[in-house]
Amino acid sequence: MSRNRKIQNREPLPDVVYNNKTISMFIAKLMFDGKKSTAERIFKQALDIIQDKTKQDPFEVFNKAIKNARPLLEVKSRRVGGATYQVPIEVRKERSNRLAMSWIILNSREKKGRPMEEKLAQEILDASNNVGAAIKKKEDTHRMAEANKAFSHFRW
């Protein structure tokens, strides 16, 4: 086996209930300590809450939330000479999807005082309406990349 073998990307299996790969990735990120059934229950209840509040298809709201929270640019540290520069780079589609999911889940976990399904539903609704903590994180990331645009020639 050689050291520089190409890493194979594993395609996630579609979710059993909803038959959707994005949802199965989201549930996997939501999962804690291997408790997948708990994560699935939380996600399903969050979708039910979204359905009750908006009277829209919860999958469309969820997909819109992911789309709105996806970053286009991020910064990566590059060491040149003795200095470390924050170099802005474009984000691949898969990575931007994963970042958006992580931000939605992390920000819903940080809220206190309510059950997780309510917090998750609220964060998904906020992201679909272009407000909320996940959108703020995306804008902060874009602002950081914009501020360090002068170092983009260090990209390689």
Side-chain angles (χ1 to χ4, degrees), residues 128-140:
S128 70
N129 294 327
N130 261 333
V131 293
I135 301 297
K136 185 179 183 323
K137 177 77 173 154
K138 169 192 158 184
E139 289 169 354
D140 290 347

Side-chain angles (χ1 to χ4, degrees), residues 101-136:
M101 289 179 202
S102 295
W103 293 341
I104 288 172
I105 291 169
L106 283 174
N107 289 314
S108 55
R109 279 194 185 128
E110 286 174 1
K111 296 178 181 176
K112 299 289 180 211
R114 289 185 295 167
M116 182 60 188
E117 47 272 5
E118 288 179 22
K119 298 187 290 187
L120 182 62
Q122 189 57 53
E123 192 61 42
I124 290 171
L125 281 172
D126 286 348
S128 70
N129 294 327
N130 261 333
V131 293
I135 301 297
K136 185 179 183 323

Side-chain angles (χ1 to χ4, degrees), residues 74-79 83-89 144-152 154:
E74 67 178 342
V75 290
K76 212 172 202 174
S77 296
R78 287 274 191 255
R79 193 156 168 81
T84 304
Y85 298 105
Q86 296 284 323
V87 179
I89 58 167
M144 183 92 116
E146 189 66 33
N148 289 298
K149 197 165 58 172
F151 304 123
S152 60
F154 288 124

Side-chain angles (χ1 to χ4, degrees), residues 52-117:
D52 292 342
K53 282 187 178 180
T54 63
K55 305 289 188 246
Q56 295 175 350
D57 181 23
F59 297 117
E60 287 180 21
V61 175
F62 172 73
N63 287 330
K64 188 177 178 191
I66 296 290
K67 191 173 132 268
N68 288 347
R70 281 176 40 193
L72 302 172
L73 294 169
E74 67 178 342
V75 290
K76 212 172 202 174
S77 296
R78 287 274 191 255
R79 193 156 168 81
V80 179
T84 304
Y85 298 105
Q86 296 284 323
V87 179
I89 58 167
E90 288 184 21
V91 185
R92 290 189 340 269
K93 186 176 188 286
E94 300 87 34
R95 177 162 168 76
S96 67
N97 273 343
R98 288 192 182 101
L99 283 172
M101 289 179 202
S102 295
W103 293 341
I104 288 172
I105 291 169
L106 283 174
N107 289 314
S108 55
R109 279 194 185 128
E110 286 174 1
K111 296 178 181 176
K112 299 289 180 211
R114 289 185 295 167
M116 182 60 188
E117 47 272 5

